[in-house]
Amino acid sequence: MYKLLIIGGGPIGLACALAAKKEGIDYLIIEKGCLVNSLYRYPINMTFFSTSERLEIGGIPFVSNNAKPTRPESLEYYRRVASSQELNIRLFEKVETIQAANGGYEVITSKQTYHAANVIIATGFYDIPNLLNIPGEALPKVTHYYKDPHYYATQKVVVVGANNSSVDAALETYRKGADVTMVIREEGIGKRVKYWVKPDMENRISEGSIKAYYHSNLTAIRETEVDIQTPEGLITIPNDFVIAATGYQPDFSFLEKAKIRLSDDAIRAPYYNPDTMETNLPGIYLAGVVCGGMNTHVWFIENSREHADKIIRHIVTK
């Protein structure tokens, strides 16, 4: 029986563990992948929007060589935090179900069963992509997880989307020699795109180096071509790869199975008390991006670090 079980070994899960350790609460982190699994799956060359001090957890300094830290730097930082603080964590172990038992909760994983008085769900949102739901989306040439630009050198690449992930993928693959076409539902590049990247993207489109179809949708994918519905009508262009940077969503089925209440609208925001982060289930808390439902742009590392302190404070006062 643990006093606290934390589901998710990302930055916010680690922050919760650090706060628990500080208060002498016995805890365990369970993570279905590697340490900070979501960050590991980010593009290799990704640079964070936040400065390093905004990514710090547990009051442990994050020293970066750059004004904005990179993916490798962040992985190194969180790895050192977990190691130096000797955090109690089980990796590559997936939580299957949470159910009430013996005045607390029984947590069943892919490997064994645990019991805890309190549970924090800090599972992020990076595991389930928002699908296009069009013919050909399951072809091997299609990915929702862009990683490395070299792979696409000399190829005809379609990038779907207009926010940070899609813009980074378009610019990086273009600079490795890909012939890049962007398919964008809106009227232009997203307003939340990193301010130092947005002009670069817009200039490449203006000069014709990267082709962009606005107010358009990808409607079908085939082995050597794709269909795009544009304001001028349906067009077909040659294509080798599709990077569908359409965003991701939390695992709503996991939350529902745990009987956490979700809003009835399209956002599907889970219920929690903003002062304590406790859900409709006593002793089960939410932390991090998962709190926003489909609004995955609301919570980041920098503004959800405080969730850890709120939760641990509430557990201590109980």
Side-chain angles (χ1 to χ4, degrees), residues 153-291:
T154 77
Q155 300 297 285
K156 297 183 184 300
V157 178
V158 164
V159 178
V160 182
N163 289 313
N164 280 300
S165 296
S166 51
V167 167
D168 286 348
L171 287 172
E172 290 184 7
T173 53
Y174 156 69
R175 291 200 163 97
K176 296 302 181 184
D179 179 358
V180 180
T181 299
M182 297 191 74
V183 179
I184 300 170
R185 288 187 303 176
E186 296 81 18
E187 62 183 359
I189 298 302
K191 295 180 180 179
R192 297 195 302 272
V193 170
K194 290 171 281 195
Y195 64 84
W196 65 91
V197 174
K198 194 169 187 285
D200 187 6
M201 183 75 256
E202 292 173 336
N203 288 336
R204 301 294 75 72
I205 292 173
S206 296
E207 71 186 15
S209 298
I210 294 176
K211 178 69 175 176
Y213 292 97
Y214 299 116
H215 299 293
S216 301
N217 290 284
L218 196 65
T219 58
I221 304 168
R222 293 180 291 277
E223 288 288 352
T224 60
E225 60 187 15
V226 298
D227 293 339
I228 305 171
Q229 185 64 52
T230 75
E232 289 73 38
L234 187 69
I235 65 169
T236 299
I237 64 171
N239 173 258
D240 298 306
F241 292 98
V242 173
I243 301 172
T246 49
Y248 310 92
Q249 60 181 273
D251 189 347
F252 292 115
S253 64
F254 177 76
L255 298 177
E256 288 176 321
K257 192 159 59 172
K259 299 183 179 178
I260 293 172
R261 190 162 71 240
L262 304 177
S263 65
D264 294 329
D265 55 18
I267 305 303
R268 306 200 71 196
Y271 168 83
Y272 63 91
N273 181 331
D275 295 324
T276 65
M277 308 309 295
E278 191 173 34
T279 68
N280 56 291
L281 301 172
I284 294 188
Y285 302 84
L286 299 179
V289 180
V290 69
C291 298

